[in-house]
Amino acid sequence: MTNRIAVALVGASLLAVAGAQALPADRTVAVARTDDARTRAQAIVAKMSFDEKIALVHGLFPPRATGKTANELIPSAGHIDGIPRLGVPLIRESDASLGVANQVEQRKGDVATALPSSLATAASFDPDISRAGGAMIGSEARAKRFNVLLAGGVNLTRDPFNGRNFEYLGEDPLLAGEMAGAHIAGVQSNRIVSTVKHFALNAQETGRMVLDARIDEAALRESDLLAFQIAIERGRPGSVMCAYNKLNGDYACENDWLLNKVLKRDWGYRGWVMSDWGAVHSSAKAANGGLDQQSGQELDSAIFFDAPLRADIESGKVPMARLDDMVVRYLTGVIETGLFDNPVSDKLQPIPYARNALVAQRAAEAGIVLLKNDGNLLPLSGVKRIVVIGGRADVGVLSGGGSSQVRSVGGAPVEIPLASGAASSFARITYHASSPLKALRAAMPGAVIIFVDGQDKAAAADAARNADLAIVFATQWATEAQDVPDLSLPYGQDALIDAVASAQPKTAVVLETGGPVLMPWLARVPAVIQAWYPGQRGGEAIANILTGKVNPSGRLPITFMASPGQAPRAAPVGLDKLTSLEAQAAADPAQAGKFQLKTYPVDYVEGSDVGYRWYEKKRQTPLFPFGYGLSYTTFAYRNLTASGGKTLTVSFDVVNSGKRAGSDVPQVYVARDGSGTPMRLAAFQRVTLKPGESRRVTLTAEPRIVADYDTGLPGWRIKGGTYRVALAHDATDRGMTTSVKLDAATMKP
Ligand code: BGC
């Protein structure tokens, strides 16, 4: 590692800890660099032989690769040899949504800092938190010799049962796009590459390798694609990972419309498209359809981008110019992110784990959502005897499973292999070593805090009765490759909470779940905290929220339903049609080849009315709406003004009207008068205020949220006229509204 990079890395870590400072985002400079990067890439490719080009468009999956490289194969997701004579770097890819991943501890003893779930980070509504997390992960990855990170998951949550919701950023395209963009920029501030993934509409895990996601174009542009578009603009990722599923008839990784027309033509994207692992089905169709690189080749039925692609080029099915373009794009991403000029050291570098843990803790604290707090049960103060029940709170906090799994600093106090299911080949139920019980005891030295494991309901209820207050920790494990079977808490935990709440009126529930769960006991429990999967400092973060050292400020990035019937789909589509073995194979790339699997359609009938927009359209009242979250203080909005014309701008005062310092997230929702479409989140900002403090905030609406997509144009169209504007605490709040007139306008796709 050169000194220059060492300095840059220290800088990145400091920034990550200090948090609030944004990394520079000078678009003019970045665009100039892209031009330069592509020109440089073309000059390098001009010097390559045919074999050298082919070697760069397919990559190894180290756990299955067999002696094809002179370089060390580090167990991880991917490996592509470089071309030393041309300075093209060796690429080592790692999953990195929540930290440098190490699934099923394939690298024995190699730990990394684990952030909370991405959904938890989304709940902060704070791109700086997301950027700090990305910067931290990128710095650890570089120190571990990884230089392309499979991060930036931005699929919108269309279904609460999606097993990967915890890896994504919720149901709103603006929030998800902003947060993903910041994460990617953070990763790439280390002069390495991040992806954005999974492009596109990989919205459920059941049948993910075969299903055909169907939706109309305008709806897709206004929802999932908009999230990707914003993430790419903000984060400028070196690479885009195409998804497993089909989209409107064609596999995403050979989908000419998606890759060539939308991504490369309409959005002007100049980096490279890499496939998901096991997502390639052809050579000529994929290459001509816009795929630039086959990843994890051992997981596909053939190494399509080696011999078959050579043959297709020789026979003229794929133009040689297309192969050149594939490699130019690859190098453009590698050059533009700074990796080419700042190679990763071939020796492991020291990592400041103690400092990085603070980044994880801060993200967890900012993302925990206080859902209910009747009678101000929280924060805990002056309570003498507390019983903590269940959730393995004595040893740690739960994490989500699959390729994002981090082996965190401190190890895994609980690790349970799976006997069956699509995730069984690469996931285990894993806890991070951050005990809420221990953290609570340390934070409340004057209290007696006992633990019961919750296996025996009656014993838990007895312990609750004999205490002054009970805290039940309830968990729901979710993983890549499987959707959750239903939205109820598993293992009888609903009954446990009921029993405890009957015995002890002062009961708080802490939820560690992948996403929303049903809460049949809600009316009987005065306080509820949504802690998501809170990461390797989750225990400390939960204790700080419970005791009030940190004032809760998270807001739901996803609607919590009152009943499964409220959602567009009550259950994963296809699960009932597939045998359990087929279901397993249709979601696990390692097993897909074993069956002749049939494709089947999934119709996204809600179109762009995803999440809270669906609830408004259907006039349904959720359990907790998108954007919702309480605080130990109160916030008021005053003096709302809005101006229209070419741009919709809203100004208002946010006042901390309570007695504690805290953070609020004012949200601006917009809809055209008379359009009949639900209101959409057009701007938001996290604001931190001392008690009594007031701040004037001015927000500008994202124009593509105000607009509709017009396929006839083609492009975005703002219809001239009156627009309703709500300044709100959540997606259902209409306490403060106004209206403005906007000029008609159009924008490029
Ligand atoms: C996942 C990707 C991941 C890849 C490599 C796939 O199964 O869908 O998110 O990056 O594996 O591990």
Side-chain angles (χ1 to χ4, degrees), residues 234-506:
R234 305 286 190 272
R236 307 185 64 83
S239 183
V240 172
M241 185 193 293
C242 49
Y244 285 125
N245 51 285
K246 292 184 173 183
L247 174 65
N248 291 333
D250 278 328
Y251 279 110
C253 289
E254 54 184 40
N255 194 309
D256 173 65
W257 177 78
L258 183 68
L259 305 181
N260 287 331
K261 307 291 188 309
V262 174
L263 178 70
K264 295 180 178 176
R265 182 195 65 193
D266 294 348
W267 300 353
Y269 182 71
R270 299 212 270 180
W272 87 99
V273 176
M274 68 164 77
S275 68
D276 200 343
W277 271 236
V280 186
H281 301 269
S282 60
S283 60
K285 182 168 183 189
N288 291 332
L291 179 65
D292 299 308
Q293 189 177 65
Q294 177 180 14
S295 312
Q297 61 191 31
E298 290 79 4
L299 291 168
D300 287 309
S301 59
I303 305 178
F304 291 106
F305 277 11
D306 192 355
L309 182 62
R310 286 171 191 270
D312 286 336
I313 291 171
E314 273 149 22
S315 71
K317 275 198 212 150
V318 176
M320 182 62 93
R322 173 67 190 118
L323 177 64
D324 286 348
D325 179 51
M326 290 157 78
V327 185
V328 166
R329 286 177 167 280
Y330 176 48
L331 291 185
T332 302
V334 168
I335 292 169
E336 198 202 357
T337 49
L339 170 59
F340 192 93
D341 297 319
N342 300 277
V344 167
S345 169
D346 54 8
K347 293 201 178 55
L348 294 171
Q349 303 295 310
I351 293 175
Y353 284 124
R355 206 162 55 186
N356 291 353
L358 299 179
V359 178
Q361 184 169 333
R362 203 165 75 91
E365 289 170 349
I368 290 175
V369 185
L370 178 63
L371 292 175
K372 186 173 180 188
N373 195 19
D374 283 2
N376 292 329
L377 187 74
L378 301 176
L380 302 172
S381 82
V383 193
K384 287 279 167 276
R385 293 172 307 159
I386 297 176
V387 57
V388 168
I389 299 167
R392 310 300 304 253
D394 53 335
V395 292
V397 289
L398 185 59
S399 62
S403 57
S404 67
Q405 182 75 59
V406 177
R407 188 85 189 171
S408 60
V409 179
V414 179
E415 201 181 14
I416 307 167
L418 306 179
S420 61
S424 54
S425 72
F426 66 114
R428 296 174 189 158
I429 301 172
T430 305
Y431 281 65
H432 296 307
S434 173
S435 157
L437 176 69
K438 284 187 196 145
L440 213 48
R441 282 181 175 153
M444 301 182 74
V448 175
I449 306 178
I450 62 158
F451 178 76
V452 295
D453 67 13
Q455 296 299 311
D456 177 344
K457 262 192 336 228
D462 276 348
R465 198 171 295 116
N466 294 327
D468 301 327
L469 184 142
I471 308 172
V472 186
F473 282 75
T475 60
Q476 172 222 41
W477 187 66
T479 179
E480 175 185 341
Q482 289 169 201
D483 294 317
V484 293
D486 58 58
L487 297 172
S488 297
L489 286 170
Y491 323 126
Q493 294 174 100
D494 283 334
L496 172 69
I497 295 170
D498 252 330
V500 172
S502 306
Q504 174 53 266
K506 291 187 173 172

Side-chain angles (χ1 to χ4, degrees), residues 370 373 375-383 444 469 527 529 543-552 631-633 660:
L370 178 63
N373 195 19
N376 292 329
L377 187 74
L378 301 176
L380 302 172
S381 82
V383 193
M444 301 182 74
L469 184 142
I529 279 176
N544 282 345
I545 294 281
L546 288 172
T547 57
K549 187 172 175 201
V550 171
N551 193 347
S631 166
Y632 296 148
T633 187
R660 284 170 181 261

Side-chain angles (χ1 to χ4, degrees), residues 614-634:
W614 173 260
Y615 281 74
E616 183 174 329
K617 189 169 173 177
K618 294 283 167 187
R619 295 177 205 278
Q620 301 188 118
T621 307
L623 193 61
F624 296 107
F626 174 88
Y628 174 84
L630 301 172
S631 166
Y632 296 148
T633 187
T634 49

Side-chain angles (χ1 to χ4, degrees), residues 175-198:
L175 175 67
E178 295 277 359
M179 298 298 280
H183 185 88
I184 292 162
V187 168
Q188 294 192 162
S189 67
N190 295 282
R191 316 283 192 273
I192 57 176
V193 173
S194 174
T195 60
V196 65
K197 68 186 187 183
H198 309 87

Side-chain angles (χ1 to χ4, degrees), residues 510-525:
V510 177
L511 294 168
E512 291 171 24
T513 64
V517 288
L518 298 168
M519 302 181 205
W521 34 260
L522 186 62
R524 312 176 63 192
V525 170

Side-chain angles (χ1 to χ4, degrees), residues 119-120 122-125 171-172 175 365-376 511 516 519 522 525-532 552-561 611-612 621-635 637 663-669 681 684 686 728-734:
L119 199 56
S124 73
F125 277 63
E171 66 193 24
D172 179 76
L175 175 67
E365 289 170 349
I368 290 175
V369 185
L370 178 63
L371 292 175
K372 186 173 180 188
N373 195 19
D374 283 2
N376 292 329
L511 294 168
M519 302 181 205
L522 186 62
V525 170
V528 182
I529 279 176
Q530 175 54 256
W532 317 105
S553 61
R555 301 288 183 266
L556 294 180
I558 183 171
T559 306
F560 274 48
M561 58 177 49
Y612 62 89
T621 307
L623 193 61
F624 296 107
F626 174 88
Y628 174 84
L630 301 172
S631 166
Y632 296 148
T633 187
T634 49
F635 296 96
Y637 305 146
S663 299
D664 184 33
V665 183
Q667 301 152 42
V668 175
Y669 294 86
L681 181 69
F684 61 87
R686 188 178 163 100
H729 295 275
D730 64 61
T732 58
D733 173 16
R734 297 291 176 263

